[in-house]
Amino acid sequence: MSQLLFQDGQFYRDDKMVVGASSRALRYGDGLFETMKVNRDTIQLGDYHMQRLFDALHLLEFELPSHINPSYFLDRILQLVHRNGHGKLARIRLMVFRGNGGLYDPENHYPHHIIQSWSLPEANHHWNENGLVIGIHDKARKSMDILANSKTNNYLPYIMGALEAKNQKWNDALILNNAGRISDSTIANVFLVSGNKITTPALEEGCVAGIMRRYLLEKLKANNRDVQEIAILPADLENADEVFLTNSTYGIRWVKSIGNKNYTANLSLELYHLFIKPLFGITE
């Protein structure tokens, strides 16, 4: 059944053609996106998402008119989910992209934008009892440059990782940076647990600056947990007791196995109860 999307100030049916052959977004991947979660008519960690989005817009040298500000996007997201009946629980994708033109001659640097929403099942909130089975993608590598921490439309390493995960029947795949160290996964940031020590790849390692990653690191540090942002090798997975993934949609998901290595979920489950359930508004 058709629903609505929001594009450049107007609501349209989501089967509307939104870009043409001259679009720089289509030709060059000239843009970026945010994936957010609406939970009971509230955009979860919306201010964090807007900070990352506008940092990236400035990095990519978009020219922002005065009305394009965080409040504009947050208001339009809520309008869209209400029109689509998704206010209770939804996934949001906001894409911002340059318009038509060649590599050296864009028509302008206006931040064209599209917002879409999809309803989420209530199970999205809850702990994944069975754990994830994931692997390591070792073909396409993630660069460690000024674009690495942003969610740009140049997503090919993650696409290749997702294709391998599907072929191998994994739930996700870890992505390596161009030095052969762990960056993140195709849809999430990664954390390792050894005893009570928690580690995650530093932003300098090329991972996306994940919103749930930021939220969890702030909570861990405020609660005096032993957490470090460091370089992590694939071999370090063998020495970990636990591995878990984080993203804005599901919070925390624990990893049951990578290859022949199996993991527990003791501290991961504790962190879910301490920090993710309150964020999601789960009280039972």
Side-chain angles (χ1 to χ4, degrees), residues 56-200:
L57 288 173
H58 290 300
L59 177 66
L60 294 183
E61 301 184 18
F62 280 87
E63 295 176 357
L64 305 180
S66 59
H67 75 280
I68 300 293
N69 54 47
S71 295
Y72 170 85
F73 285 128
L74 295 174
D75 290 345
R76 275 31 177 214
I77 288 168
L78 292 178
Q79 290 178 27
L80 179 67
V81 297
H82 291 155
R83 290 191 179 212
N84 283 333
H86 296 162
K88 183 178 180 181
L89 195 61
R91 180 171 68 90
I92 306 300
R93 194 178 197 274
L94 164 61
M95 182 170 68
V96 183
F97 52 96
R98 238 175 296 264
N100 295 338
L103 186 61
Y104 283 92
D105 56 349
E107 289 182 357
N108 55 59
H109 297 281
Y110 179 80
H112 296 278
H113 48 279
I114 298 169
I115 306 172
Q116 296 169 278
S117 72
W118 299 269
S119 62
L120 287 172
E122 185 65 25
N124 174 268
H125 274 338
H126 298 293
W127 178 251
N128 61 318
E129 294 286 349
N130 294 327
L132 303 177
V133 176
I134 70 175
I136 299 175
H137 175 71
D138 194 20
K139 295 178 182 177
R141 300 288 182 95
K142 183 77 185 288
S143 296
M144 298 180 286
D145 58 20
I146 61 170
L147 301 175
N149 301 148
S150 302
K151 298 191 76 170
T152 71
N153 289 345
N154 296 281
Y155 227 58
L156 284 174
Y158 298 108
I159 290 171
M160 296 297 292
L163 289 172
E164 182 174 7
K166 185 173 182 179
N167 290 335
Q168 297 293 337
K169 296 181 170 52
W170 301 334
N171 299 115
D172 200 347
L174 297 179
I175 303 299
L176 304 181
N177 61 30
N178 53 21
R181 299 187 292 267
I182 294 173
S183 176
D184 41 23
S185 86
T186 65
I187 59 171
N189 291 104
V190 58
F191 288 76
L192 278 62
V193 178
S194 298
N196 289 318
K197 180 181 179 181
I198 306 167
T199 57
T200 191

